[in-house]
Amino acid sequence: MSQPDIQLIRGFKDILPGETELWQLIERTAIGLFEDFGYREIRIPIMEKTELFARSIGEDTDIVEKEMYTFADRKGDQLTLRPEATASICRSYIQHKMYAQDPVRKFYTIGPMFRRERPQKGRYRQFYQIDAEIFGVAAPYADVELILLLRTLFERLNVTDTTAHVNSLGCPACRPRFKQALSALLAEAASALCSDCLRRKDRNPLRVMDCKVPGCREAMKGAPAIIDYLCDACSSHFSTVTDMLTRLGVPYHVDKQLVRGLDYYTRTAFEIQTGALGAQSAVAGGGRYDGLVGSLGGPEVPAIGFAIGFDRLAEIVALNTPAGVRPPDLYIAALGEPARKLAFEWSTALGLNGIGTAMDYGDKSLKAQMKQANRAGVGRVLIVGESELESGTVVLRNMAAKTQRDIPIAAVVDTLIETFTKKEHSIG
Ligand code: HAM
């Protein structure tokens, strides 16, 4: 098999016809659900100033320290290909003063993100996220709504083998006491920590809890859980979240170890986890980030959101939903140039009327054309050659029923539009 001289970048991938049908189905299902709940689409740039991500996601995170595609442009400005969408949406919310009339805004966005991680199944360097965010709602109902939306979307896509892990990461009022307890343990366990964690343990001890290095995991086994240190306000917020989830019949699992890999989170954090993708268990993640808008120069507006790993979700959906490639409605087999001209005219007219056609633009034999029609899984074939042009009628063959009928050449387009429209009606 030949290979192109220049191949795909490692960790990047093409999503090919045959897969894109499933991606479109997922996208349509997500958009339908978001729109029903009052979310509006926002499209943000692929690149931002590096500082936006560094300040939002946090200087000590793996994403900012090791994974961002950052470069100086020709004028020397430090730019970064977005590793996630939340920071940009906050910037946009502030920049366009979207809080001015009504701070409550709901957004969704779908698109590619970039992180230079080690590629493996379910982990790519360019991957896609389906992202939803609610601004301006401090009440725990926003948290519940987002978790409910994730569950509903997954159910609509027949993905049921998932668990919602929820935790609370507290707020600036309750975190210092927790950090103190954690730092005491980290000081004792210092010799077992990896070099990243040694560096991070004093500046940002929470990051150590998220470290995947086995030695650090082992050292963190007896670590205190932040949820045991919540202030009254955070505690009551979290109980309302879990109470409402129960009331709405959304199953969840309180996961005291869940800390998430980004620094901006406060209070509720959650992940949808699955066993279907090996090591990459998180198919979606999110949480509250009540301080982020304020810290980026905006007003103190609370916010919360999630991002679904689109690639991971598509891989799971593909396990139980065969990709439905839509075959053309009709194949037009033409023999000879005059017939081909007519066939091309019909094909475009039918296409403009929503009837999918395929034909051969070259000079294939009738046998080869019929083979092509069969391969494409086309239900009906129209045959036009010299003798049809002479007689003024063409033959429409129904491949499944093995029946055929004649259609006057002058009435081909109208008759076919009627045939296919009727067929659609009868399908319902
Ligand atoms: P995150 O947990 O970094 O959160 O990413 C969300 C999801 O994106 C992950 O659960 C995973 O499914 C997918 N994902 C992340 N990295 C990769 C990768 N290298 N390859 C494939 N999929 C990946 C965020 O990005 C936050 N912005 C979510 C959020 C929105 N929080 C509040 N609002």
Side-chain angles (χ1 to χ4, degrees):
M1 292 257 263
S2 58
Q3 292 283 344
D5 292 346
I6 300 161
Q7 293 192 22
L8 201 62
I9 307 170
R10 184 165 138 80
F12 286 57
K13 66 188 164 104
D14 300 314
I15 302 155
L16 304 177
E19 294 171 274
T20 47
E21 291 80 3
L22 203 63
W23 283 63
Q24 288 176 1
L25 170 77
I26 294 173
E27 223 166 75
R28 276 198 304 273
T29 314
I31 292 174
L33 183 62
F34 292 154
E35 296 274 346
D36 285 349
F37 276 78
Y39 294 71
R40 294 291 170 260
E41 188 184 13
I42 182 167
R43 296 193 188 195
I44 43 178
I46 297 280
M47 252 195 275
E48 297 271 3
K49 292 187 178 156
T50 303
E51 198 191 346
L52 175 68
F53 300 117
R55 266 173 54 186
S56 319
I57 299 168
E59 300 274 6
D60 303 312
T61 57
D62 278 354
I63 297 178
V64 172
E65 267 191 358
K66 304 177 190 170
E67 295 169 1
M68 294 201 307
Y69 282 92
T70 295
F71 60 96
D73 77 357
R74 286 166 190 274
K75 285 272 169 63
D77 288 337
Q78 284 294 309
L79 303 179
T80 294
L81 288 179
R82 62 183 189 190
E84 58 116 46
T86 312
S88 303
I89 298 177
C90 287
R91 184 214 27 82
S92 179
Y93 179 80
I94 301 167
Q95 192 151 6
H96 301 284
K97 297 192 174 45
M98 289 195 251
Y99 48 82
Q101 275 184 344
D102 180 358
V104 180
R105 291 296 187 102
K106 295 176 171 187
F107 304 109
Y108 68 88
T109 198
I110 301 176
M113 310 293 156
F114 304 85
R115 296 183 193 175
R116 202 175 187 290
E117 295 189 77
R118 200 164 51 78
Q120 56 175 241
K121 185 174 164 57
R123 193 159 75 193
Y124 309 100
R125 290 180 172 176
Q126 174 176 332
F127 59 98
Y128 291 73
Q129 284 188 343
I130 300 174
D131 184 286
E133 314 281 351
I134 303 179
F135 287 78
V137 181
Y141 301 113
D143 316 27
V144 176
E145 177 176 303
L146 288 167
I147 298 169
L148 172 81
L149 286 187
L150 281 170
R151 172 153 189 93
T152 308
L153 175 61
F154 286 27
E155 267 177 1
R156 288 188 183 174
L157 294 166
N158 289 325
V159 175
T160 46
D161 183 20
T162 57
T163 319
H165 289 236
V166 297
N167 194 16
S168 175
L169 302 180
C171 68
C174 44
R175 249 189 226 173
R177 222 161 51 85
F178 166 71
K179 278 190 179 165
Q180 223 173 10
L182 183 60
S183 294
L185 177 111
L186 290 173
E188 269 174 40
S191 61
L193 300 180
C194 72
S195 55
D196 281 343
C197 288
L198 270 181
R199 195 164 19 88
R200 292 169 180 171
K201 79 176 178 26
D202 296 320
R203 280 213 317 249
N204 197 342
L206 215 65
R207 289 273 63 86
V208 183
M209 295 190 75
D210 196 36
C211 182
K212 305 286 182 288
V213 174
C216 298
R217 287 203 154 183
E218 188 58 36
M220 295 309 291
K221 269 198 174 146
I226 194 161
I227 203 168
D228 297 327
Y229 288 78
L230 298 184
C231 62
D232 288 348
C234 285
S235 182
S236 131
H237 185 100
F238 192 63
S239 350
T240 310
V241 171
T242 51
D243 287 352
M244 284 310 297
L245 285 174
T246 307
R247 196 159 154 172
L248 296 183
V250 178
Y252 63 89
H253 164 69
V254 176
D255 181 349
K256 292 183 170 193
Q257 305 303 320
L258 182 75
V259 287
R260 308 273 300 125
L262 304 93
D263 274 355
Y264 49 60
Y265 291 115
T266 52
R267 294 194 165 168
T268 316
F270 52 90
E271 256 176 31
I272 307 297
Q273 298 187 3
T274 167
L277 290 175
Q280 301 312 313
S281 56
V283 67
R288 222 167 231 292
Y289 48 96
D290 289 344
L292 185 56
V293 175
S295 79
L296 291 173
E300 288 301 328
V301 171
I304 177 165
F306 67 65
I308 300 169
F310 199 158
D311 312 68
R312 292 184 190 176
L313 180 58
E315 281 166 30
I316 301 171
V317 174
L319 298 174
N320 50 22
T321 308
V325 184
R326 178 190 160 200
D329 299 305
L330 175 77
Y331 188 94
I332 309 181
L335 284 168
E337 196 55 26
R340 201 158 23 250
K341 281 189 177 145
L342 199 57
F344 180 66
E345 221 177 291
W346 292 339
S347 164
T348 49
L350 291 169
L352 292 172
N353 280 283
I355 295 159
T357 64
M359 64 175 281
D360 172 49
Y361 296 139
D363 204 12
K364 284 206 171 85
S365 68
L366 182 61
K367 197 170 153 205
Q369 293 188 56
M370 293 308 280
K371 219 168 159 183
Q372 206 170 41
N374 263 326
R375 231 187 346 235
V378 180
R380 285 163 211 244
V381 176
L382 189 79
I383 301 167
V384 53
E386 254 171 51
S387 58
E388 282 80 9
L389 291 182
E390 263 170 36
S391 70
T393 57
V394 288
V395 178
L396 178 68
R397 199 177 280 177
N398 183 327
M399 303 298 273
K402 296 209 175 349
T403 54
Q404 58 184 49
R405 64 188 254 227
D406 292 342
I407 303 176
I409 280 185
V412 162
V413 172
D414 288 344
T415 311
L416 287 173
I417 290 174
E418 200 187 315
T419 307
F420 284 104
T421 323
K422 253 200 215 134
K423 192 177 127 209
E424 261 168 33
H425 284 316
S426 68
I427 289 166

